[in-house]
Amino acid sequence: MLLTKSYDYIFTGAGCAGMSLLMRLISSGLISGKRVLLIDRDEKTRNDRTWCFWEKGDGFFEPVVYRNWKSIGFFSSDYNAQMEIAPYCYKMIRGADFYQYCFNEFNKHPNIEFITGEVNFINSGNSFQLYLDNSIIDTSGSIVFNSIYEPSPPTAKTLHVLQHFKGWLIKSATDVFDPGKATMMDFRVHQRHGTSFVYVLPFNKREALVEYTLFTPSLLKPEQYDNELKNYLSDFLGITDYSIKDEEFGIIPMTNEKFHFRKNGWQIGTAGGQTKASSGYTFQFIQKQSQAIVDCLLAGKPLESIPSTPGRFRFYDNTLLYILYHGKLPGDKIFSRLFKKNKPRQVLRFLDNESSLAEELKIISTLPTWPFLKAALKQF
């Protein structure tokens, strides 16, 4: 069955990438008089994820920032520090707040239609057909933005590492947290499963999101995440009397596969390579890509003209991913050296792909030379 209703913009996937871009298109006036279709398999009402990122000043989604911190902690067996990160601020956005904020705006525009269903692309040469459940959507004359990630067929050189995490929103029976200080990475937990750390985001003196995170090729058993969280709370925070108010679980792909902006329409978000391969950070890269698309459309330029991320950053990411995947160096030792021997603002700029070549060379020089050199040579 062919759905013949025509649209100017079609978004397959109503996650962070699709909604961020559509919100910016609305703000720029680009959807005025246009028909827009937004598709997702879910209703987007659950608090299914949390985004954390650092930013200077107020950002586009400042109204839904749930908490922010100007001081972040780093802990490991080698190095402990509470770091002031001004002019940056470490921010947190909850999924439910983000979705509600976006849909409140979408509902003001009757030309935006939201449909739930399963999306599939059927490719034929340089063209594709878009299926919603068992019906074909007419994409002629449409600009299609796809954020549904499907891994490319693996090759001998393709690496896939999973960033997987389980988080508990806990409420302690006593005052134990400093609401002004967040823990960005705590590597003091054992590293037997691979690169593992915990981050702690306090909301007040008794409530915090405590998240156990790993960079490994495979997942743990469900009960293992719970055990690690329980052990961290008692062993490192001294908390034994608490209740779990909410929990979340997520998986973020970290890979060196090559992403293509032009494929099944235009690829955005993780599908378009906006998840940083070495850290899993995604939110701010999505915002940069979304704004670049809007600027391009406003200027009347073809989307192909949007510059890609400088290749040297992909090279750095792939080198570190190779080391983590093959266990050439423990991840906790790498990140400890990174923060111990460099100013936190420089590290954050580097992780944001906004550093200069001179800054990058300085940062790289603080890491173990021989393992990184051998891993770098493998990237060629």
Side-chain angles (χ1 to χ4, degrees):
M1 176 181 175
L2 176 65
L3 300 181
T4 56
K5 187 186 292 186
S6 61
Y7 298 92
D8 297 283
Y9 296 108
I10 298 175
F11 293 82
T12 52
C16 181
M19 289 193 181
S20 293
L21 177 54
L22 182 50
M23 287 290 286
R24 289 174 186 266
L25 288 172
I26 293 171
S27 178
S28 68
L30 281 167
I31 71 155
S32 179
K34 307 289 186 182
R35 291 187 62 86
V36 180
L37 176 62
L38 182 64
I39 310 170
D40 200 275
R41 64 166 59 177
D42 299 319
E43 293 286 351
K44 313 306 289 188
T45 56
R46 296 183 300 111
N47 189 43
D48 57 353
R49 66 196 62 227
T50 299
W51 292 290
C52 295
F53 57 97
W54 50 89
E55 188 172 39
K56 296 178 182 177
D58 291 347
F60 186 85
F61 285 103
E62 200 65 30
V64 286
V65 171
Y66 185 68
R67 292 289 190 278
N68 64 75
W69 301 267
K70 296 180 180 179
S71 178
I72 58 174
F74 181 93
F75 303 96
S76 72
S77 60
D78 298 331
Y79 178 65
N80 298 327
Q82 193 69 39
M83 304 172 289
E84 301 301 318
I85 58 172
Y88 291 102
C89 190
Y90 196 70
K91 301 180 180 182
M92 169 190 171
I93 291 178
R94 302 190 306 172
D97 298 337
F98 179 85
Y99 303 142
Q100 183 179 23
Y101 178 72
C102 292
F103 274 114
N104 284 346
E105 183 61 37
F106 300 161
N107 291 336
K108 299 175 185 177
H109 303 272
N111 55 326
I112 297 176
E113 184 178 352
F114 176 61
I115 299 177
T116 57
E118 290 287 341
V119 170
N120 285 291
F121 290 93
I122 305 298
N123 292 281
S124 176
N126 293 324
S127 63
F128 66 90
Q129 286 186 321
L130 175 59
Y131 286 79
L132 175 60
D133 294 326
N134 295 317
S135 300
I136 304 174
I137 294 181
D138 180 15
T139 59
S140 58
S142 303
I143 299 178
V144 179
F145 293 109
N146 174 54
S147 60
I148 300 172
Y149 170 65
E150 293 184 0
S152 299
T155 68
K157 293 186 177 181
T158 304
L159 304 178
H160 287 283
V161 172
L162 301 176
Q163 179 182 149
H164 45 117
F165 49 87
K166 176 75 175 284
W168 285 349
L169 172 56
I170 70 156
K171 182 173 184 179
S172 171
T174 57
D175 295 349
V176 291
F177 298 112
D178 182 342
K181 296 179 179 180
T183 297
M184 182 182 182
M185 289 179 165
D186 190 339
F187 282 101
R188 292 175 297 175
V189 294
H190 72 77
Q191 304 293 305
R192 292 192 293 273
H193 300 306
T195 299
S196 311
F197 62 91
V198 176
Y199 65 83
V200 182
L201 305 178
F203 302 159
N204 52 54
K205 292 182 178 180
R206 296 195 177 192
E207 293 182 321
L209 175 64
V210 183
E211 199 128 319
Y212 177 61
T213 306
L214 305 96
F215 296 169
T216 59
S218 57
L219 303 179
L220 303 182
K221 295 178 180 178
E223 63 271 16
Q224 289 180 288
Y225 299 97
D226 292 339
N227 289 336
E228 299 298 345
L229 282 166
K230 191 181 303 181
N231 291 339
Y232 180 81
L233 288 170
S234 61
D235 296 348
F236 295 100
L237 301 185
I239 303 174
T240 54
D241 189 1
Y242 59 90
S243 59
I244 301 171
K245 299 181 63 178
D246 199 2
E247 61 180 47
E248 66 178 27
F249 178 80
I251 305 169
I252 299 172
M254 298 161 60
T255 177
N256 65 345
E257 71 176 84
K258 292 184 179 180
F259 290 88
H260 302 280
F261 183 35
R262 188 74 165 105
K263 177 187 174 185
N264 296 339
W266 301 94
Q267 302 282 84
I268 59 175
T270 295
Q274 300 309 302
T275 293
K276 190 170 176 65
S278 61
S279 67
Y281 282 107
T282 306
F283 188 85
Q284 283 296 73
F285 292 106
I286 283 175
Q287 303 314 315
K288 293 175 189 178
Q289 185 193 43
S290 298
Q291 191 58 51
I293 291 171
V294 169
D295 291 343
C296 192
L297 292 172
L298 285 172
K301 297 179 180 179
L303 292 178
E304 293 94 332
S305 65
I306 296 175
S308 58
T309 301
R312 70 182 193 274
F313 290 111
R314 194 157 65 90
F315 174 75
Y316 304 151
D317 288 336
N318 291 349
T319 299
L320 179 53
L321 193 68
Y322 179 91
I323 288 174
L324 294 176
Y325 183 87
H326 291 286
K328 300 298 183 182
L329 274 175
D332 60 325
K333 304 300 181 185
I334 296 171
F335 284 99
S336 292
R337 290 280 288 267
L338 199 60
F339 280 98
K340 183 178 182 179
K341 295 182 176 293
N342 299 281
K343 294 180 180 179
R345 300 166 191 83
Q346 292 175 328
V347 175
L348 297 182
R349 210 161 39 238
F350 177 64
L351 295 176
D352 264 346
N353 295 356
E354 293 182 349
S355 50
S356 67
L357 182 58
E359 289 175 316
E360 292 149 26
L361 291 174
K362 179 183 178 299
I363 287 174
I364 291 169
S365 71
T366 64
L367 298 172
T369 304
W370 187 236
F372 271 87
L373 179 58
K374 288 196 292 185
L377 291 173
K378 291 286 185 181
Q379 306 316 306
F380 292 109

